[in-house]
Amino acid sequence: MTCKHLLTYSGRMVTTTTREPDVFTAISHPARRHMLDLLAEADRSVNTLAGHFQMSRPAVSQHLRILLDAGLVTEQRHGRERRYHFVPEQLGQVREWIAQYERFWDDRLKRLQKLLSKKKNAQ
């Protein structure tokens, strides 16, 4: 897996930092989320994926590169064609993050339910 190097300018000095792939950044774009939806159904080639979008094949390839770097998809060569496969386990971080908010909403909804029950019983 390749990592991007970012340049940071601080005064006169230039430093480089290696940035780890970010699943949240990878899923932030609607086209990449749609690609993941398509790949969840079946493995697909770049050309097959490109047929679902109004963007160039190179643009689809760039989005796939971001998904690859984040570990959300893998690619396999089949002759001259590369097929992409969705790796749902990599969304674990996202699931864990969302779980925090699910607990929040579950708690809020339980409190609302209790409040409504009290009001109903008081009538």
Side-chain angles (χ1 to χ4, degrees):
M1 197 178 306
T2 61
C3 293
K4 303 267 188 226
H5 292 282
L6 300 176
L7 290 178
T8 305
Y9 296 94
S10 55
R12 294 181 175 176
M13 200 167 95
V14 177
T15 59
T16 61
T17 57
T18 301
R19 186 172 173 191
E20 288 300 315
D22 181 12
V23 172
F24 291 96
T25 299
I27 64 171
S28 68
H29 196 282
R32 290 193 290 268
R33 291 193 303 271
H34 186 57
M35 286 178 192
L36 291 176
D37 292 342
L38 293 167
L39 292 170
E41 296 171 3
D43 293 356
R44 299 174 193 262
S45 67
V46 176
N47 289 331
T48 304
L49 285 169
H52 292 271
F53 297 93
Q54 291 187 341
M55 66 175 81
S56 67
R57 186 187 174 286
V60 170
S61 293
Q62 288 177 345
H63 284 295
L64 283 169
R65 173 56 48 201
I66 292 167
L67 294 172
L68 276 164
D69 288 347
L72 289 167
V73 298
T74 58
E75 70 179 1
Q76 262 189 339
R77 291 187 78 98
H78 291 274
R80 292 176 43 187
E81 182 180 78
R82 293 175 194 250
R83 295 189 59 80
Y84 293 86
H85 172 78
F86 176 45
V87 183
E89 298 82 14
Q90 291 301 110
L91 289 173
Q93 293 179 268
V94 177
R95 187 179 59 241
E96 290 169 11
W97 182 74
I98 289 172
Q100 297 173 28
Y101 296 96
E102 285 175 348
R103 286 190 296 271
F104 168 79
W105 285 110
D106 288 346
D107 180 52
R108 296 283 193 239
L109 290 173
K110 284 177 187 174
R111 284 198 237 166
L112 178 60
Q113 187 177 24
K114 283 181 185 179
L115 179 65
L116 293 174
S117 293
K118 286 180 185 179
K119 285 187 176 189
K120 185 178 179 182
N121 292 334
Q123 292 177 350

